[in-house]
Amino acid sequence: MTESRSICPYCGVGCGLILDTINNVVIRTSPDPSHVVSKGHICGKGSTAHEPGNSWDRLLYPLKRERGILVRTTWESAINEISSKLIEIKEKYGPSSIGFYGGCQNTLEEGYTMMKLARALGTNNVDSCARLCHDPSATALKEMVGLGASSVSVTEIPKSKVLVIVGESLTESHPVLVQYITQLKSRGGKLIVIDPRLTGTARLADVHARIRPGTDIYLFNAIANYIISNNLQDKKFIEDRVEGFEEFKESVKKYSINSAEITGVNQDEIKKIAELIVQKPVIFSWGLGLTQTNGTKAVRSLINLALITGNVGLDGAGLLVYRGQSNVQGSGDLIKPNLFPNGQIAQENARELEGIWGFAPPLSEGRTVTEALLESDMKAIILMNFNPALSFPNRYKVERTLKSLELLVVIDPFMTSTAALAHYVLPSAMWSEKEGSLTSLDRIVKWRFKASSPPGEAKAELEIFSLLAKKLHLNGFQEDPKLIFEEMKRVSRIYSNLTLNQVMDFSAPSRYPENETVLYRERFRTANGKAKLMFEDQPTIKKGMILSTGRAVTRYNTDEMINRTPGFGRIPQVIYMNPSDAERLEIKDQDIVKITSRCGTAILSVKLSPEVREGSVFAYMHVPSINNVVCDELDEDTKTPKYKYTEISITKVNLG
């Protein structure tokens, strides 16, 4: 038996794992007590993370579509034909008709190589699934404080006087982090949860604001106005380190704490929240409930509260983003259609990349993955461990787009809903069958060591891209992740301070940009060193019944891995409804209902629950049919879907 260290393939905590392997089969996963964040903790998904790799239905050889059916082919034939088709499409329609889009469980090196290959072909149509979740966070953080990442580590939570959690239930999404909430509470700290549902995390809260979906900006502005009106803001911090305060002060005056009819949060609760967060230190944290409702505008409005209270740059204080996949932070750092990995899409940065890559990337901005699949006429798309046919909103439209492509290549270990539509399916290695680094939700970069070899003819993504690059006569593409890591450091400045020795040592912090647990102690990473307040007005509030989706602790995204893990079973096909709404609609527990939006429908069973706020219903994002209903309304700044905010109608299905 051999022992290997690795990083969990599930959420963005990036827990350290120890894998035991016998005869090329990983037989056991256990927690690594040396890991700097997880500290020997592991959740149920993490403890069984090796199981999907041993699944009977792994893809073992390349597949090609012939006469509408996927049939076995050779790697040589697949690579030759894909390369020829890419060249043909590029010559016929131009490079902007081609896109490369990747999942967020891939390593930094894999995402970087995919992005580089796309740009070598002349297209900036590159993106990752970070677009679906936290690009609003990265965008707002970059604009306001200088770096699109958490400013504070989860390990600082116990030092806080107050932890604010908006739109996230850690008991469901990041259970290993509950250890830090427990430590916070044991030391007398307070927990504020802002969430429409009574979640497991909300049950731990000292204050639970059951906000009406879609009114988060109004609530944050009302809190800001109360703080400023009562002279509770941190005047010195604002004067020394923040710009735009006077304009912000005037703008929020119209937002009153007497707004229970709008937000669902009464003025006593708002006063309580305001009085708690003007203390120091306070951590402001958030999840998808914020980014997938009002997007970038909502994140800006929450960051404003941290800035006016001076709660950035201190031990136990700052801005913390709960990322949902193991490398979603790293994918968002490196793979963007509107940015180069070294900065803005500009001639100067293109010349710098040419000096490293040997070719100059194009200067026109590319399409996001949501634009590519929902709003465009793309001709060729390469997807790396990405399943948009199941995970995207308005699935009917996405399926039509995927079927309309002249070339769809899917790189994946499994026959997903998206792979089933592809022209070519290339079998890839799973997380424990290759090496590479990942970036966790609090900027820690750690290495995955290889524990076993992939089955059959499956290959690591770096080998697949290397084969493709060679056939396309593109130079400078390698298979060794260590060499790619060193190149990536030259390209992406925020990663330049890291060393492989640090990254491979699970007990070392190895955080970018300079191993800081807390950023911005003296200055922000903006041009003038000051943070920027950015006021946003509350958008029009939808009047109908609102559908929100979220995570279950025993599930993971489209459930490709969980469905191949013994003991987890299938997700119940239910929608949760408040008993008052059910009574009004003459619906009883376990009734079958039809949920309809302007985009589509789903048939589900009802489960009555007082945990759901009146006027809204909740479904787990892992229910396959729910994205038939979730609409393709996108955040205007980042094109991130509003999964948490779809207006619907509900009717009882008469089975008689």
Side-chain angles (χ1 to χ4, degrees):
M1 185 166 68
T2 59
E3 185 177 281
S4 310
R5 278 185 158 76
S6 193
I7 297 298
C8 183
Y10 287 109
C11 83
V13 176
C15 295
L17 305 180
I18 297 173
L19 305 181
D20 294 325
T21 304
I22 297 178
N23 296 330
N24 198 44
V25 176
V26 180
I27 62 163
R28 182 168 55 237
T29 299
S30 53
D32 187 340
S34 72
H35 191 274
V36 65
V37 168
S38 56
K39 299 181 178 179
H41 290 76
I42 195 172
C43 74
K45 292 195 292 281
S47 66
T48 57
H50 62 285
E51 295 282 7
N54 302 327
S55 177
W56 66 271
D57 64 343
R58 287 285 301 272
L59 294 176
L60 302 178
Y61 40 78
L63 301 171
K64 171 189 176 181
R65 187 169 298 279
E66 288 187 354
R67 298 178 183 177
I69 299 171
L70 287 168
V71 298
R72 182 173 182 171
T73 188
T74 65
W75 274 103
E76 183 179 11
S77 293
I79 295 297
N80 287 347
E81 292 168 18
I82 291 167
S83 302
S84 296
K85 192 67 177 174
L86 284 171
I87 292 168
E88 177 188 324
I89 289 171
K90 179 181 176 180
E91 290 176 350
K92 185 176 181 180
Y93 302 105
S96 63
S97 64
I98 301 169
F100 285 70
Y101 301 111
C104 294
Q105 295 178 53
N106 284 94
T107 64
L108 289 168
E109 295 76 20
E110 290 161 354
Y112 172 85
T113 301
M114 181 195 75
M115 173 273 302
K116 178 181 171 183
L117 181 59
R119 284 170 163 146
L121 277 169
T123 179
N124 282 324
N125 294 333
V126 294
D127 208 356
S128 74
C129 63
R131 181 70 49 192
L132 303 186
C133 53
H134 274 297
D135 207 66
S137 301
T139 298
L141 286 163
K142 176 76 172 174
E143 292 170 333
M144 298 175 73
V145 296
L147 187 66
S150 298
S151 76
V152 64
S153 169
V154 295
T155 58
E156 292 289 301
I157 288 174
K159 299 178 184 177
S160 299
K161 284 190 177 178
V162 181
L163 172 63
V164 180
I165 299 178
V166 182
E168 193 69 79
S169 179
L170 298 188
T171 52
E172 301 287 330
S173 60
H174 302 75
V176 166
L177 297 187
V178 176
Q179 63 176 306
Y180 293 112
I181 294 180
T182 302
Q183 292 173 33
L184 168 85
K185 300 275 286 182
S186 68
R187 297 179 185 184
K190 302 295 184 184
L191 175 62
I192 298 171
V193 172
I194 300 173
D195 197 304
R197 285 196 305 140
L198 179 59
T199 63
T201 304
R203 292 182 188 279
L204 302 173
D206 298 279
V207 179
H208 175 207
R210 297 193 70 171
I211 189 171
R212 179 182 175 188
T215 63
D216 36 28
I217 293 174
Y218 197 108
L219 176 64
F220 301 149
N221 285 343
I223 293 169
N225 186 30
Y226 178 83
I227 288 170
I228 295 168
S229 299
N230 288 276
N231 213 24
L232 299 174
Q233 72 273 21
D234 187 329
K235 302 180 190 64
K236 179 165 176 50
F237 183 87
I238 293 169
E239 182 179 350
D240 293 345
R241 304 194 59 192
V242 178
E243 59 182 8
F245 176 72
E246 291 303 322
E247 296 88 344
F248 179 77
K249 175 182 175 181
E250 289 302 311
S251 298
V252 296
K253 281 184 176 178
K254 60 185 177 183
Y255 288 89
S256 168
I257 63 170
N258 187 19
S259 57
E261 289 186 5
I262 298 172
T263 66
V265 185
N266 66 48
Q267 61 180 343
D268 289 337
E269 288 178 301
I270 294 177
K271 287 180 182 179
K272 177 77 170 176
I273 293 169
E275 287 160 5
L276 284 170
I277 67 172
V278 295
Q279 301 180 81
K280 287 186 180 61
V282 177
I283 289 177
F284 293 81
S285 66
W286 64 93
L288 300 183
L290 195 63
T291 62
Q292 293 178 344
T293 301
N294 281 318
T296 312
K297 290 178 170 58
V299 179
R300 291 182 187 125
S301 300
L302 180 62
I303 294 172
N304 288 334
L305 294 180
L307 295 178
I308 67 171
T309 59
N311 270 304
V312 185
L314 305 170
D315 289 342
L319 303 160
L320 181 59
V321 186
Y322 299 118
R323 300 261 182 175
Q325 294 202 55
S326 56
N327 197 35
V328 69
Q329 178 67 57
S331 299
D333 291 335
L334 298 175
I335 313 169
K336 288 186 184 295
N338 62 330
L339 293 170
F340 288 148
N342 63 337
Q344 299 296 319
I345 293 180
Q347 188 67 59
E348 181 182 354
N349 288 332
R351 279 196 296 267
E352 181 185 51
L353 290 172
E354 185 176 14
I356 298 170
W357 289 348
F359 65 87
L363 293 173
S364 57
E365 189 170 304
R367 290 187 180 99
T368 67
V369 66
T370 42
E371 290 172 315
L373 295 183
L374 291 166
E375 301 174 357
S376 77
D377 57 351
M378 301 279 285
K379 301 301 180 183
I381 289 179
I382 288 81
L383 295 172
M384 176 176 65
N385 298 306
F386 206 163
N387 190 14
L390 208 58
S391 64
F392 262 54
N394 200 341
R395 286 177 57 199
Y396 300 118
K397 183 188 284 189
V398 172
E399 280 196 21
R400 285 197 300 271
T401 299
L402 293 171
K403 289 176 179 177
S404 74
L405 295 170
E406 294 186 16
L407 177 65
L408 174 61
V409 179
V410 172
I411 302 169
D412 206 284
F414 301 114
M415 183 56 67
T416 65
S417 300
T418 305
L421 303 174
H423 298 101
Y424 293 88
V425 182
L426 304 180
S428 61
M430 288 197 68
W431 63 281
S432 60
E433 300 163 357
K434 55 192 177 180
E435 283 193 82
S437 58
L438 307 97
T439 306
S440 72
L441 64 84
D442 56 355
R443 297 177 282 107
I444 292 177
V445 182
K446 285 288 169 241
W447 197 260
R448 260 186 199 152
F449 293 90
K450 184 176 178 179
S452 61
S453 297
E457 297 176 16
K459 295 182 183 294
E461 288 86 340
L462 293 178
E463 184 180 355
I464 296 172
F465 288 134
S466 179
L467 290 171
L468 197 54
K470 286 176 185 174
K471 197 63 188 175
L472 290 164
H473 306 294
L474 301 172
N475 298 320
F477 289 85
Q478 306 173 76
E479 296 179 30
D480 187 340
K482 298 182 183 70
L483 294 177
I484 298 169
F485 179 85
E486 296 298 339
E487 180 184 309
M488 180 193 74
K489 285 170 51 183
R490 293 176 61 201
V491 168
S492 179
R493 295 179 184 87
I494 58 174
Y495 285 90
S496 62
N497 192 56
L498 298 170
T499 68
L500 275 171
N501 285 339
Q502 287 176 317
V503 170
M504 291 179 175
D505 179 357
F506 280 25
S507 64
S510 60
R511 286 185 176 88
Y512 75 67
E514 294 175 0
N515 284 328
E516 311 99 317
T517 304
V518 177
L519 295 176
Y520 316 128
R521 290 186 185 275
E522 295 180 1
R523 72 187 310 275
F524 292 94
R525 291 176 66 92
T526 56
N528 64 2
K530 288 191 173 185
K532 181 180 181 181
L533 287 167
M534 296 185 70
F535 170 78
E536 295 289 354
D537 259 322
Q538 169 66 48
T540 302
I541 301 164
K542 294 177 179 177
K543 296 180 180 179
M545 183 77 80
I546 300 299
L547 165 67
S548 296
T549 64
R551 298 185 188 276
V553 69
T554 57
R555 319 307 302 182
Y556 187 71
N557 293 359
T558 60
D559 271 359
E560 293 298 334
M561 293 202 294
I562 290 300
N563 286 340
R564 293 171 171 87
T565 303
F568 279 85
R570 297 280 171 170
I571 185 82
Q573 307 296 295
V574 300
I575 192 162
Y576 295 84
M577 179 184 292
N578 187 280
S580 297
D581 288 325
E583 183 178 2
R584 175 174 54 83
L585 295 170
E586 298 183 346
I587 292 171
K588 297 182 175 61
D589 195 51
Q590 300 185 31
D591 275 352
I592 305 300
V593 295
K594 182 179 181 181
I595 303 103
T596 305
S597 71
R598 65 174 177 81
C599 296
T601 63
I603 306 294
L604 297 170
S605 173
V606 167
K607 186 170 180 59
L608 300 185
S609 172
E611 296 176 358
V612 180
R613 198 182 189 284
E614 286 185 51
S616 62
V617 293
F618 175 82
Y620 288 116
M621 61 187 286
H622 325 286
V623 173
S625 63
I626 202 63
N627 283 334
N628 296 340
V629 180
V630 174
C631 266
D632 52 348
E633 184 179 352
L634 305 178
D635 174 43
E636 63 185 51
D637 293 298
T638 62
K639 305 301 180 181
T640 296
K642 298 185 177 183
Y643 290 97
K644 304 290 188 286
Y645 199 48
T646 300
E647 191 170 359
I648 60 162
S649 63
I650 299 177
T651 54
K652 184 177 176 180
V653 175
N654 189 344
L655 299 178

